[in-house]
Structures are given as structure tokens and as C-alpha cells.
Amino acid sequence: MNDHFTEALQKMMLSQQPRSHRHRLTRKEHLQIHEKGVAGVRKILAAGRFQLSQTFANRAPHSSKASLANLQRITLSQLTQDTVHYGCVLVCRTVVAPVKYTAVQVVVEDPIVNGPRTPKEDVVVDRLSLYNFVDFTGVREDTSEWLPVGTRLLIKEPYYKVASDGVPMIRCDNPGDVVLVPNEEVDRPLLAGLRWADTLPIVYGPIGNRSGESAEGLKRNGNEQFGRKEYVAAIASYTRALEVEPGSAIVLSNRAQAYLKLEQFQQALDDVEAALKIDDGSVKTRLRYAKALYGSRKYEEASVVLQKLVQLDAKITEINELHLKAQGRIAEQHHGQYKMFDIFQEARTTHPPYLDHADHVGPVRITAIPGKGRGIVTTRDVLEGTLILCSKAYAVVFEDELDANLIKISIDHSDKSMTNTPHIVARIAKRIQKEPWTAKELYELHAGPDIPPMEFVDGEVPQIDIERIKNIVRANNFQPDDAFYPQAPSNDKSSATKSRDDFQSGTGLWILPSLLNHSCVPNAIYIIVGDLLFVRAMQNIPKDNEVCVPYLPCTNTYNERVKKLKARSFRCSCQLCVFERAHPSHARETRQRLLKEHERLRDRIRTGDPAMIPPLTNIIAQLRDTYPPLPTTSLLLSPTTLPPHQLRLGLIHPLISLYHLRASSGDFESAVAILRDVFEMQPRCGDLTVNRVDIAMAIARMCDALGEEMEKRRWMRVSENECEIIYGEGEGKRVWREVFSKDVEMMGSD
Ligand SMILES: C[S@@+](CC[C@H](N)C(=O)[O-])C[C@H]1O[C@@H](n2cnc3c(N)ncnc32)[C@H](O)[C@@H]1O
């Protein structure tokens, strides 16, 4: 693996040397290079060794904003190296089966513009690299299913450059800039007067009504293709059958079934609705209708259809099961009733964990927030523990969807941080292609400080814009981790305080949660389970107050937080930041230094070495001194303000370390006193609520060791209650009983 890595790096370095003018490669040379690439991919696949996840880009990828109608035709022979050909559209045709490496790579040829017949060998060819074109993350030898040999392509504003292996190529990053022209489409003005060197056996897309094809024959073809699970081909056959004989309810219903298999629910719904307008429909068609409605997340309508079907024939298990599921989704969508415990189990057993649950929008609305753009505020007084929203990802790439041996090379100069961007960006582009009507809500998301909002033209579907998608992902992504379960407190960075930045692999985009602004002491928590993102209030939030989540752990030091948020182009003015900003800068720096010192001692602290107690106690004493003294009289605080003792978050990790040292030396009295302090210091905010579950349980364990039965029971109840605030009433109890099953077994519970 390392050899390949070094080789790739060397190639990249070489490619950055100044190069002399290169001669244009012949068709034969290009095809040989392509064949070598295919052989290389074959070797990689045979060895099962690695794939590259990142692309090498010497300039920021661009997306064409121009409309095809305004572009001038250009040919391969007219391309200039290291140039984006603004105002032009390249017309070409694929001459070989493509291969997928980091990009889909193929050889394309020029058309022949009128004139005398040109021998095939003299027609100019070049390499075309299509990035983000497929959302498949690995390498593949033959990708003809995406791009059959002979496909005519229009490439908007092509970028011509030399690739990392020294071979020139047309690099296209934006799938929206590639137009595939079906074979039978002959009247495109851009193709007028063009011929090709020879005839290639291309069959691309649905082919129009060929004389002699009967609707019945085409339907039969479609059924056979469906039986072989060739759903795209089946759809093409049914489409042809409908062209020959429009208005066949059976063919429409069959095509709907093929769309259902491809999870193209809207298309399935359109077909089945058209079929039901023609006749009443069989049970089969009406079940398809219910499935299309369910898939389109129209659960109530699906339930009405299913209810009638149940009355007709209650024996069909599939109908009953779907009816039950629809009712579950309605309870989720309207009442926020999610069986969290079951959803956790589902996420553990589903690979990849795409979960079938409804979205829910709780008592919140979107509004402008001064200085922050848009945000989410409550529409009524909200109690702690209330579900604010549940949202299914617009697109997500899970860690285990990526190759285990994936090499992450981030040499894309425009973006060093996001090694997994190509996958999620390609997935978003695919979703827009499949469901263009969802593009608007995506493009409306914040794309960074310097990027103006997209302008939409009424009635026009926005194009795929890879640059904007990349920026949107950068500004709004959340990293999914499989389950956000509470754990016993440890002096390692606990899962609760694990930085979102630590989850390097998986990444996802959720539309409504993308409107949540950040606070370092947030009043809400987000929990990602599979592709679902739940947001719950962790404090009582009065009506019209903003709901905020943490973009980073609040136990990060002030300087760390400022730096990370600066990278996201804003300065936080939450209560914690205002509090710490008011401290003299030397106090903040001392705190930072002391916390680093604590980090350095951690390995020895982990061993439980009692010699660590004096230096740690000293660090804690000095840390306390970096904060202003606590007021001696109680303050009158607003319901949204944290008390001053809960703003000294820098003390939490060192105090947990001290607890460990005391507990491992058998001094349970001191250990429990420290933990009680820590519990008091942890506001119920963001991820710290998870710590409160763990710490209350650790106190219960200490009380158990000290024989304090009543206290033990009290703290177990506290832990359980905190868990219910995070996961919801009842459900939190189930989660708590599972997580702490060993404790419950040993210590008993009420
Ligand atoms: C995920 S978006 C949140 C929604 C965003 N406000 C909008 O209008 O779409 C992240 C962006 O919101 C803004 N933002 C989030 N939290 C903020 C805060 N506490 N203060 C100022 N701006 C904030 C920043 O511009 C940040 O890059």
C-alpha cells in the first residue's frame, strides 16, 4: 500500500514540474494508455488493495454557469492546454468502455465537420476524466452501464489540462456540465452538420418507437427485464410500449413497480396515479400506489389507501405490514413519537444504516437571526427533553461504505480538511439528478461567507453546481457516528466530548438541521442514529428563543474554539465566549497552558499512579485561579442564562482525572466528593448532558462501594432521568437499562 502511495505522490510531484509543450497523442497511443489504466485497475481489484479517495487538482474545480444555448461549439483539436474554455461547448463521442479510478476515465473523439471522409485513425482523440460523475466510491474496471461506448457528449466550458501521469485530459468536475445525447436525438442544433468516423454499436437511453415493435411485445420484454432485475432497461421497454400504445394501465403500473425498485418514488407515484385514472386498479396496483405514497413520505395518504385494501383482503401480510409501518411513521411525523431504543438496535443491524423513519418538525420555525443569517427559534415555551426535530439525511456516506484500506490523500489545494468530500458531493449530485425538485432546498443552504445566494428562475430546475455543493457541504456537514450512547466516565476523551472533527470518515448533509446555529453552551443536543438526526432541547427554552447546537465540544479551550470557528468564518458570542472574552488574556493563556500540562500527564494518570495526585491538584488549584471568584450571593438569572459556576468548564477534565486517581487509590470519600462537584459544574447543555448521565452513575457506584444505599439509589435515578432528557420519556429509560445493565444487575434498581 505504501509503495502505491509513494508512487502516487511522486507522480503528483512530477506533474507539478514545469513542462514543455507536448505533442498531441495519437488515437493508438491514447487507447494504449487507457488499456494500461484498465489493467492497473484490474490489478488493484485482484489484490483487493486500495482505492484512492481524493483527486489531484491543480486548480479549483469549476462548474459552468452558462446555458447550453449560449455556448459556441468547440472540438478537441481546438482545445488549449491549462485553460477553461469559457463560452464554449465541446462536442465529442466516447470510443472505449470507461474505467472508474478516482474519476470515470474514457477516451473521446472529435466529430467530423462536413468535408471529405476522414479515416478513423486521423480523427483527434483525447482523454476525458469525469469527476463526481458516479456516487460509487471504489474502482471499477468497466463502467459502460453509465457511459456506453459511442455515447455522444456535450461538455460545457471544458477545462483542458495535463493529468498527474503527464497525459493531457479534459477534466470535468461538475456532472451538470456533461450532457449525454441519446442516439436517436438528431435534431440538436449543436450536432447539426456533424458526422462520426464510423458507426459504434451504442444503445443509450430509451429508444423511440421503432416500426414493427408491438406494445404487447415491448411489455413482454419489459417484464422479462424486470424479472432479471434490469429495472432501467425494463423502464425503457415500458416507455416504448407506452409510446406505441399510450394509456395502458397495466404497463403504467408495471413501470411504476420498476421505479419502486429503483426507489424513484415520485416517478412511481406519477405512473400509478395515471394508471388509476384509467381504471380502478387491481389490488396489486393499489398496493404499488400505497408503496409509492409511503416512499414519497406521504404516510397519511398511504394509510388511507392501505386501510381500504385491508378491508378488501386482510389476509395479505404485505398490506398489513405496510399499514402498520405507515401508522408508525404518522406517529413520528405528527407527534414526534420515536422508539429510540428500537431505532438504535435497527441502526446496529442495518448495513449501511439507512433507516426507514419519518421526519418530524417540532415547535420551531425558521427566522432571520441578527448577525447569524437564518436560524431556528421556538414557537412556544419548550421544556427540556422536548424533541425539536428529526430529519433524514439529504445525502450521507457512512464510514463503512468506504473501503477499509482507503488511502486518504488530500492534495486538492482548495480543500485540505475534507478527505471524504468527493463521495458526499457525488452522492448529492446524483440525488439532484434523480430528484431535481429537491435542488432548491439544497441550494438555499449557506455556502460560506463570500458566496452570494443562488438566484432561482421561476419554473426552471437549477443545474448541478459542484462548486456550490462542495461549499454547502463544507459549511453544513455533520459527521454520523453509529450511536451516541452514554458511557462510563473515563479520563480518556469520553465519547461525549469527542470532537466532531475526530470522525474523519463518514459525513452527511441534513437540510433543516443545517439551519441550526452554533453556541458553545448550546441549549440543544443533536444525536445521529444511522441517517437520522435528532435534535432535543436540553434546557427549558422560552418562546421565540433560538435553538442552538454545538459545532465543537464546549470543553475546548477558548482559543481552540475561536480558531475552529474562525475556520467556519464566524465569531461566537454565546454566554461562555462573552464570559471568557472578558477575562484578561493572560488568564486564558495560563488556562490553555495548564490544560496542555494536564494532557501531558494523562498517560501516567491513566495508570492510576498516586504520585500524580500532587501535580494534578496543583494544576486544578491554578486553573481555579484563572477564573474570576464565584459570587457569594445568589444571582437573579434569566431562564436562558447559566449560573457562573457552570461556566468554568476548563476544570471538568482535570477534576475527572483526579477522581480516577482517588478512586483507584481506594479513597472513595474524596472521589465521590469530586464527582459531585463535577456534576454540579456540568450545565445541561449540548453533549455535556451525556456526561451528566455517566457521572451520576459513577457517583452511584461510589456510593455503593461506601455502603450508602439511599444515595446510591438517588444517583441511579438522577442518571436515568438525565438519560430520559436526551432520548425521550420512557425510551431514555430503556436506553439507560441497556447501557448500564451490568450496574443494574449488581446494584439493583427501583
Ligand atoms: C450550518 S450554517 C447555520 C445556518 C446559517 N445561519 C444560515 O443562514 O443558513 C453555519 C453558518 O451559520 C453562521 N453561524 C452559525 N452559528 C453562528 C454564531 N453563533 N454566530 C454567528 N454566525 C453563526 C455562520 O455563518 C456559519 O458558517
Side-chain angles (χ1 to χ4, degrees):
M1 192 164 92
N2 279 341
D3 288 346
H4 283 281
F5 180 64
T6 321
E7 199 183 313
L9 272 179
Q10 275 169 354
K11 275 185 184 166
M12 187 211 59
M13 313 262 280
L14 279 174
S15 76
Q16 288 176 348
Q17 305 290 324
R19 50 183 130 252
S20 55
H21 180 75
R22 285 158 205 272
H23 77 281
R24 198 173 267 288
L25 299 177
T26 63
R27 181 186 203 93
K28 198 170 157 202
E29 285 170 327
H30 261 301
L31 291 175
Q32 275 170 352
I33 293 169
H34 185 78
E35 194 38 52
K36 257 194 196 158
V38 175
V41 161
R42 223 172 273 150
K43 233 160 105 186
I44 289 169
L45 287 171
R49 258 201 310 241
F50 76 92
Q51 60 181 351
L52 288 173
S53 77
Q54 188 52 281
T55 61
F56 301 96
N58 291 329
R59 94 202 289 291
H62 85 110
S63 304
S64 173
K65 310 280 183 293
S67 130
L68 258 187
N70 300 331
L71 298 177
Q72 292 296 319
R73 190 165 75 191
I74 192 173
T75 58
L76 293 171
S77 43
Q78 293 167 317
L79 294 178
T80 314
Q81 225 164 72
D82 294 324
T83 306
V84 176
H85 297 76
Y86 292 110
C88 301
V89 53
L90 175 75
V91 181
C92 59
R93 186 176 77 153
T94 67
V95 296
V96 69
V99 61
K100 160 80 171 54
Y101 199 56
T102 52
V104 170
Q105 212 128 282
V106 71
V107 179
V108 289
E109 68 177 0
D110 255 349
I112 304 165
V113 188
N114 290 323
R117 185 157 201 92
T118 319
K120 190 166 102 181
E121 296 317 315
D122 294 348
V123 173
V124 176
V125 300
D126 237 314
R127 177 199 278 175
L128 171 66
S129 292
L130 300 171
Y131 289 86
N132 308 305
F133 191 65
V134 291
D135 62 351
F136 167 70
T137 54
V139 293
R140 194 179 283 185
E141 190 186 326
D142 183 343
T143 53
S144 299
E145 78 218 58
W146 295 313
L147 209 57
V149 180
T151 305
R152 293 176 299 166
L153 298 168
L154 307 177
I155 314 278
K156 287 161 64 181
E157 306 195 315
Y159 170 35
Y160 193 51
K161 61 163 285 194
V162 176
S164 55
D165 58 1
V167 178
M169 69 170 176
I170 302 121
R171 176 178 171 133
C172 183
D173 283 84
N174 188 24
D177 295 350
V178 188
V179 180
L180 277 62
V181 186
N183 239 11
E184 74 279 15
E185 195 178 324
V186 286
D187 50 0
R188 262 199 196 244
L190 274 170
L191 299 179
L194 297 185
R195 286 187 295 108
W196 303 94
D198 63 5
T199 314
L200 289 169
I202 181 191
V203 179
Y204 172 74
I207 291 169
N209 178 16
R210 289 194 203 126
S211 58
E213 285 180 319
S214 74
E216 191 50 38
L218 288 164
K219 186 184 101 183
R220 206 174 324 111
N221 275 355
N223 290 350
E224 282 165 14
Q225 286 157 330
F226 185 92
R228 293 194 298 270
K229 300 190 174 158
E230 294 164 8
Y231 304 122
V232 175
I235 288 169
S237 295
Y238 293 136
T239 304
R240 270 149 55 199
L242 287 165
E243 280 163 6
V244 177
E245 190 184 305
S248 160
I250 293 182
V251 177
L252 281 165
S253 172
N254 286 4
R255 191 170 68 174
Q257 175 70 346
Y259 278 129
L260 283 177
K261 290 285 179 195
L262 294 175
E263 299 192 349
Q264 290 181 232
F265 298 111
Q266 187 56 49
Q267 288 91 334
L269 195 54
D270 290 347
D271 272 1
V272 87
E273 276 176 346
L276 287 171
K277 271 193 195 134
I278 298 163
D279 64 41
D280 252 8
S282 59
V283 170
K284 207 153 79 173
T285 300
R286 282 196 271 164
L287 179 56
R288 284 171 192 168
Y289 184 31
K291 283 182 186 170
L293 285 166
Y294 185 97
S296 310
R297 304 171 90 69
K298 295 176 175 164
Y299 303 115
E300 272 175 346
E301 290 170 60
S303 177
V304 171
V305 174
L306 288 160
Q307 181 66 42
K308 284 190 189 145
L309 283 174
V310 170
Q311 282 160 7
L312 262 176
D313 191 345
K315 287 193 297 294
I316 302 180
T317 329
E318 204 184 354
I319 295 175
N320 285 309
E321 280 176 4
L322 191 60
H323 192 211
L324 216 65
K325 270 169 61 174
Q327 284 167 333
R329 297 301 81 81
I330 292 169
E332 293 169 348
Q333 197 171 43
H334 292 293
H335 310 293
Q337 288 169 358
Y338 290 86
K339 295 190 172 145
M340 291 303 291
F341 183 79
D342 297 343
I343 293 174
F344 275 118
Q345 307 300 337
E346 207 182 316
R348 284 178 187 161
T349 50
T350 315
H351 298 291
Y354 290 98
L355 307 181
D356 178 15
H357 290 278
D359 281 13
H360 170 77
V361 182
V364 285
R365 64 186 165 88
I366 300 168
T367 189
I369 309 282
K372 300 185 188 174
R374 291 179 301 169
I376 292 183
V377 297
T378 48
T379 51
R380 60 165 165 82
D381 291 351
V382 162
L383 288 177
E384 61 187 15
T386 304
L387 183 68
I388 300 286
L389 54 93
C390 168
S391 170
K392 197 168 166 68
Y394 184 83
V396 62
V397 177
F398 294 105
E399 185 172 350
D400 59 7
E401 284 182 281
L402 304 170
D403 192 290
N405 296 321
L406 188 82
I407 296 183
K408 293 173 194 151
I409 313 175
S410 194
I411 314 174
D412 180 341
H413 301 313
S414 65
D415 185 358
K416 289 201 174 61
S417 62
M418 298 178 62
T419 51
N420 47 13
T421 336
H423 307 308
I424 184 78
V425 168
R427 217 154 255 196
I428 291 170
K430 272 277 156 277
R431 170 117 194 228
I432 298 178
Q433 260 171 357
K434 209 164 119 178
E435 298 173 8
W437 57 90
T438 63
K440 190 163 180 278
E441 59 176 15
L442 173 93
Y443 286 136
E444 275 172 351
L445 294 182
H446 180 67
D450 309 318
I451 304 191
M454 196 172 205
E455 282 172 23
F456 299 100
V457 182
D458 268 354
E460 249 182 53
V461 175
Q463 298 184 0
I464 294 175
D465 181 342
I466 240 58
E467 269 174 294
R468 185 172 282 271
I469 295 174
K470 251 191 160 184
N471 287 321
I472 287 173
V473 168
R474 197 174 298 134
N476 299 284
N477 76 91
F478 288 91
Q479 275 81 42
D481 59 308
D482 47 8
F484 216 104
Y485 254 34
Q487 288 174 6
S490 95
N491 58 347
D492 289 337
K493 266 189 173 179
S494 86
S495 69
T497 52
K498 192 167 177 179
S499 155
R500 302 292 179 189
D501 304 339
D502 294 343
F503 298 101
Q504 275 298 320
S505 298
T507 190
L509 192 76
W510 282 260
I511 301 287
L512 190 53
S514 290
L515 297 184
L516 288 160
N517 288 316
H518 161 85
S519 164
C520 304
V521 276
N523 52 13
I525 188 174
Y526 70 86
I527 295 166
I528 299 176
V529 194
D531 61 340
L532 303 174
L533 192 151
F534 294 88
V535 179
R536 221 172 256 278
M538 289 296 99
Q539 290 158 18
N540 296 332
I541 312 176
K543 182 174 184 246
D544 292 330
N545 271 52
E546 194 184 1
V547 179
C548 289
V549 293
Y551 291 1
L552 39 80
C554 48
T555 44
N556 276 187
T557 64
Y558 176 80
N559 290 352
E560 283 166 349
R561 299 199 313 271
V562 167
K563 198 170 152 205
K564 286 182 187 170
L565 295 177
K566 198 170 170 200
R568 300 184 71 145
S569 315
F570 71 92
R571 186 170 188 252
C572 182
S573 47
C574 71
Q575 195 195 348
L576 183 63
C577 284
V578 170
F579 170 75
E580 294 199 67
R581 210 169 284 145
H583 299 178
S585 62
H586 65 82
R588 289 198 304 260
E589 269 143 33
T590 309
R591 200 176 305 148
Q592 176 109 357
R593 178 179 56 75
L594 290 166
L595 287 170
K596 279 217 174 98
E597 229 170 286
H598 167 245
E599 280 298 321
R600 272 197 298 276
L601 298 183
R602 270 202 161 166
D603 282 344
R604 286 191 62 193
I605 291 172
R606 247 175 237 131
T607 65
D609 181 354
M612 288 292 97
I613 293 178
L616 187 57
T617 312
N618 189 21
I619 287 176
I620 292 170
Q622 288 186 59
L623 267 175
R624 278 192 210 276
D625 286 344
T626 66
Y627 288 105
L630 291 174
T632 44
T633 51
S634 69
L635 298 168
L636 211 56
L637 296 169
S638 88
T640 55
T641 311
L642 295 173
H645 72 276
Q646 292 193 336
L647 293 173
R648 303 183 310 163
L649 298 173
L651 287 164
I652 288 180
H653 287 314
L655 279 171
I656 290 180
S657 292
L658 189 59
Y659 143 74
H660 270 282
L661 290 173
R662 294 282 186 207
S664 42
S665 63
D667 183 357
F668 297 147
E669 300 265 355
S670 309
V672 78
I674 294 165
L675 278 189
R676 280 193 170 110
D677 251 10
V678 174
F679 187 82
E680 281 305 310
M681 292 167 89
Q682 308 242 4
R684 193 176 286 133
C685 82
D687 303 353
L688 284 185
T689 318
V690 184
N691 281 7
R692 285 169 68 89
V693 178
D694 298 334
I695 288 169
M697 198 59 198
I699 297 176
R701 285 189 204 107
M702 292 284 106
C703 294
D704 190 44
L706 289 165
E708 295 173 9
E709 187 62 20
M710 297 274 279
E711 275 295 277
K712 175 189 86 179
R713 293 207 175 279
R714 189 170 78 79
W715 281 103
M716 282 174 88
R717 266 197 308 276
V718 171
S719 173
E720 197 176 1
N721 287 344
E722 296 287 333
C723 207
E724 287 211 283
I725 291 171
I726 302 171
Y727 299 107
E729 238 178 280
E731 293 300 312
K733 234 182 212 124
R734 293 177 76 195
V735 171
W736 184 84
R737 283 188 177 267
E738 194 204 310
V739 172
F740 297 112
S741 58
K742 280 207 184 94
D743 293 285
V744 171
E745 206 178 288
M746 281 165 59
M747 303 197 282
S749 80
D750 293 337

